[in-house]
Amino acid sequence: MISKIKIMTRKEFVKICTLLGISIPFQSVLGSCSSDDNNNTIPTGFSGKVLIIGAGPAGMTAGYLLAKRSIDFEILEALPTHGGRIKTNTTFADFPIPLGAEWLHVNRNIFSEIVDDDSVTIDINTTPYDTINDIAIDSATGQQITFEEAGFTIDQKFIDSSWLDFFQTYIFPDIRSRIRYNTPVSTIDYSGDQIKVSTNGGQTFEADKVIVAVPLKILQSGIITFTPTLSNAKTDAIENAHVWSGFKAFFEFSNKFYPTIVGYDIMPAASGQKMFYDAAYGQNTPQHILGLFSTGLPAETYISIASDDAFRDFVLSELDALFNNQATPNYIRHISQNWNEEPYARAAYLSAYEDSTLVNVLGKSVSDKLYFAGDSYTTGSDWSSVHAAARSAIRAVNELVIK
Ligand SMILES: Cc1cc2nc3c(=O)[nH]c(=O)nc-3n(C[C@H](O)[C@H](O)[C@H](O)COP(=O)(O)OP(=O)(O)OC[C@H]3O[C@@H](n4cnc5c(N)ncnc54)[C@H](O)[C@@H]3O)c2cc1C
């Protein structure tokens, strides 16, 4: 619908989406108002072996759908854990702290869309923001702004739960025996009938088809090589895509002196995103936890700070300036998550301002053998979120089983 979002300002885009009654995620998907890849009817007909590389939301969704079709598959995951960028901390607070994906950017129906089973009742608690009574302020002016201006419309917080909990409860049980952990893939040779996949450690695997479900930055970094090399169009799209750095932190305070959201108008908008927000919003907790979310240049500013103590002091001085010196005396402790230093993520996600035609190339399959599933490999109408990753997996599996 909107193919050249780069010529549209954020406010214009917000207005169009609002008129259409569509949510706009704060940190993603300025590439479109519409949902992506929304067909989860899976035809059968393919009966070979599939290897899925990566056990994040996309890889897990793909495996789950293959399992439902009784198709033989294995998921090769580099880390000793699954989840990827929906990693969650369960020790800092008395509710789960999402170190990566935190909000549900679309309607709750996405849960049933992924599970694709009418007999399953989804018991995941989320809450929308009270956009009338909650307060968002503009960091530059200190003035109150609407949630729409802050980028939040129907976005929801998970309550005592997380995206990881959703996958853990409804998807993981059907695929747990098929995940091979500590298996970092380094080469994919699709020159012959059977695709040969190997790891740095010398393990090799064979399959008829492969679903690549690793973050785009992993392909940009050359961690996985392809034989034969991917087409020029695909290689150019991978190399030219702008992936934002990512950094989050959570601060516990003895007092809640901050509003629900403090929005930053980053200029130019395509250079990144930043906000402080009430991370304990809607939770049944006595703890006061403030979140810091940053991507792109704002994230790099935090990442470049030499020590954790210096980082803490930097943030406290930012907050003291915003909130009349209330941060430092109320500070208790903090944790942080630098996504750039995670060896199998290396960044946050594809820029919200990427060209949709480039994203569309990223999502295309190769030679009826390689399929791409994940938040960057979509049809170009939505990207950089868990729901976009899951929907791209649905599309990849649909495509794979009919070819
Ligand atoms: C700071 C931050 C905030 C975010 N906030 C939100 C949000 O609020 N809402 C939202 O919807 N989304 C959010 N996202 C985006 C969301 O986390 C991603 O869109 C989603 O996790 C993408 O899923 P994926 O399966 O494509 O990739 P990932 O989650 O990255 O999973 C990829 C998997 O592949 C594995 N892997 C990588 N390389 C290899 C290899 N060589 N061999 C084998 N395995 C490999 C990784 O270990 C990982 O398990 C956020 C992300 C970040 C970083």
Side-chain angles (χ1 to χ4, degrees):
M1 178 170 47
I2 299 166
S3 55
K4 292 291 177 199
I5 189 67
K6 287 199 295 190
I7 60 171
M8 196 182 293
T9 67
R10 177 177 179 83
K11 283 206 170 84
E12 286 165 340
F13 179 72
V14 167
K15 199 168 159 197
I16 285 173
C17 285
T18 306
L19 287 173
L20 297 176
I22 291 164
S23 158
I24 306 146
F26 182 84
Q27 73 274 47
S28 71
V29 193
L30 284 175
S32 171
C33 296
S34 70
S35 68
D36 190 10
D37 312 323
N38 199 1
N39 173 11
N40 61 356
T41 309
I42 303 171
T44 50
F46 168 76
S47 60
K49 162 110 191 223
V50 181
L51 282 173
I52 300 168
I53 320 298
M60 287 194 281
T61 302
Y64 171 83
L65 295 173
L66 292 174
K68 276 163 77 81
R69 297 293 176 271
S70 302
I71 291 173
D72 187 18
F73 74 95
E74 204 169 0
I75 304 181
L76 308 180
E77 167 56 50
L79 294 171
T81 52
H82 52 277
R85 284 167 284 158
I86 58 173
K87 178 176 169 186
T88 302
N89 172 297
T90 53
T91 54
F92 185 69
D94 61 1
F95 59 94
I97 294 281
L99 298 171
E102 179 154 355
W103 292 276
L104 172 63
H105 294 316
V106 288
N107 188 288
R108 284 180 52 90
N109 293 343
I110 185 67
F111 296 140
S112 326
E113 187 183 322
I114 298 170
V115 172
D116 191 27
D117 183 342
D118 291 343
S119 68
V120 175
T121 305
I122 310 290
D123 184 19
I124 292 283
N125 197 2
T126 60
T127 184
Y129 285 89
D130 179 349
T131 53
I132 306 290
N133 295 312
D134 290 332
I135 296 171
I137 66 165
D138 182 320
S139 62
T141 62
Q143 300 298 308
Q144 198 166 321
I145 52 173
T146 65
F147 269 54
E148 199 176 274
E149 286 165 331
F152 274 72
T153 48
I154 67 162
D155 294 56
Q156 302 198 32
K157 275 278 281 181
F158 289 78
I159 301 301
D160 199 19
S161 174
S162 65
W163 265 118
L164 184 62
D165 283 332
F166 165 75
F167 279 91
Q168 198 66 24
T169 307
Y170 297 101
I171 305 299
F172 181 68
D174 286 15
I175 60 170
R176 66 179 352 131
S177 63
R178 309 289 190 93
I179 304 181
R180 200 183 273 260
Y181 294 100
N182 303 307
T183 310
V185 167
S186 54
T187 67
I188 299 176
D189 178 346
Y190 63 104
S191 57
D193 278 350
Q194 284 286 294
I195 306 172
K196 295 183 171 54
V197 171
S198 59
T199 67
N200 280 334
Q203 288 170 289
T204 57
F205 305 86
E206 289 200 357
D208 298 286
K209 298 190 189 248
V210 166
I211 299 177
V212 178
V214 302
L216 179 57
K217 196 73 183 179
I218 296 301
L219 298 188
Q220 286 187 332
S221 310
I223 288 171
I224 299 178
T225 57
F226 295 88
T227 307
T229 49
L230 299 172
S231 69
N232 287 345
K234 191 89 167 175
T235 305
D236 286 351
I238 291 171
E239 285 176 358
N240 295 330
H242 185 214
V243 180
W244 274 332
S245 297
F247 186 89
K248 278 179 88 175
F250 295 86
F251 283 70
E252 182 175 9
F253 291 104
S254 51
N255 186 20
K256 182 176 177 297
F257 54 83
Y258 42 84
T260 305
I261 293 170
V262 182
Y264 282 74
D265 228 352
I266 303 298
M267 293 293 177
S271 61
Q273 304 153 309
K274 169 174 167 177
M275 68 172 169
F276 288 107
Y277 59 96
D278 177 10
Y281 185 87
Q283 314 290 337
N284 181 19
T285 177
Q287 288 181 279
H288 305 298
I289 312 286
L290 179 79
L292 162 63
F293 164 86
S294 61
T295 63
L297 283 182
E300 285 157 25
T301 301
Y302 292 116
I303 289 168
S304 68
I305 297 174
S307 72
D308 192 48
D309 284 354
F311 162 72
R312 176 202 59 208
D313 294 344
F314 185 90
V315 171
L316 290 178
S317 64
E318 279 191 298
L319 294 170
D320 279 337
L322 280 170
F323 300 111
N324 200 20
N325 296 320
Q326 294 182 78
T328 300
N330 281 300
Y331 170 81
I332 298 176
R333 64 204 174 113
H334 74 278
I335 51 169
S336 61
Q337 170 69 45
N338 174 359
W339 283 98
N340 288 21
E341 72 175 13
E342 288 293 329
Y344 293 105
R346 299 198 174 199
Y349 44 73
L350 185 60
S351 163
Y353 292 83
E354 191 49 85
D355 189 329
S356 58
T357 50
L358 179 147
V359 182
N360 182 266
V361 175
L362 292 172
K364 289 221 180 307
S365 57
V366 173
S367 309
D368 296 344
K369 287 180 178 169
L370 302 183
Y371 299 82
F372 292 80
D375 64 343
S376 299
Y377 316 110
T378 74
T379 56
S381 61
D382 193 355
W383 59 86
S384 296
S385 62
V386 177
H387 69 264
R391 283 176 170 156
S392 89
I394 294 169
R395 178 205 23 91
V397 169
N398 278 343
E399 212 186 314
L400 181 153
V401 295
I402 55 173
K403 288 215 169 144

